[in-house]
Amino acid sequence: MAKEIERKFLVASAAYREMASESREMRQAYLSAAPRPTVRVRVCGSRGWLTVKGMNHGLEREEWEYEIPASDADRMAASLAGGWAIEKTRWIVPSEGWTWEVDEFHGRLEGLVVAEVEMPSADCRPPLPPFVGREVTGDTRYYNSSLTGGVPPTDIDSAL
């Protein structure tokens, strides 16, 4: 088991694209989107993962992630979750010694762009890159598991 400690922000500009070191397409489905626990399947390229996450406690939550065959993830999404609920491009953005993950959502969530940074402890305060907007850490409307219905929060203040 690992602890996931992260902060989450809305994105205010497309500057992350020029700063990114890589990007990848992802699909996600939730076998359980309840607040405790969430169980997610994900496919990125030819690889699949099964992830279990506990409830958030501030910036922290427990997380277990296991690589599985992509074909198993595809089958789980189709047969247990009714298909892929989220499609997005993840941009990996290094900034001042930190690695930011910027998720640009597609389909019904088009226009929503969220940046996350994982930290070794909850008291870390990484410098915010220029593309970062309003912090939404702890706002359950921005949890991927909450977005599975395809309806983004109505107060997106992203400039994108």
Side-chain angles (χ1 to χ4, degrees):
M1 175 196 66
K3 290 253 187 221
E4 177 183 64
I5 305 169
E6 68 182 13
R7 292 176 67 195
K8 185 179 284 198
F9 299 83
L10 294 179
V11 170
S13 81
Y16 64 90
R17 291 182 184 156
E18 292 178 13
M19 298 172 66
S21 61
E22 65 179 285
S23 67
R24 57 184 89 119
E25 301 301 313
M26 304 176 114
R27 297 184 314 266
Q28 294 179 183
Y30 286 81
L31 308 181
S32 169
R36 183 180 34 192
T38 61
V39 180
R40 174 186 75 205
V41 292
R42 173 185 281 168
V43 168
C44 180
S46 62
R47 300 173 70 191
W49 287 269
L50 182 65
T51 306
V52 179
K53 295 185 179 193
M55 286 280 291
N56 279 50
H57 299 284
L59 304 178
E60 299 181 33
R61 66 179 165 180
E62 295 176 319
E63 176 183 67
W64 296 264
E65 186 165 68
Y66 306 97
E67 189 165 356
I68 62 173
S71 59
D72 287 358
D74 283 329
R75 180 78 179 134
M76 286 181 205
S79 65
L80 301 176
W84 296 108
I86 292 177
E87 295 184 27
K88 61 187 178 181
T89 302
R90 171 160 291 168
W91 301 80
I92 306 301
V93 184
S95 179
E96 297 189 51
W98 294 87
T99 301
W100 290 78
E101 294 177 340
V102 178
D103 288 342
E104 192 175 298
F105 292 85
H106 305 298
R108 295 174 294 176
L109 296 169
E110 194 74 38
L112 178 61
V113 184
V114 178
E116 299 176 350
V117 61
E118 289 198 22
M119 306 171 303
S121 67
D123 60 349
C124 289
R125 292 291 176 250
L128 304 181
F131 57 83
V132 167
R134 180 170 61 92
E135 185 164 9
V136 293
T137 301
D139 186 337
T140 59
R141 297 175 302 160
Y142 293 95
Y143 292 178
N144 279 242
S145 59
S146 297
L147 297 170
T148 59
V151 180
T154 57
D155 65 339
I156 296 172
D157 60 359
S158 174
L160 299 176

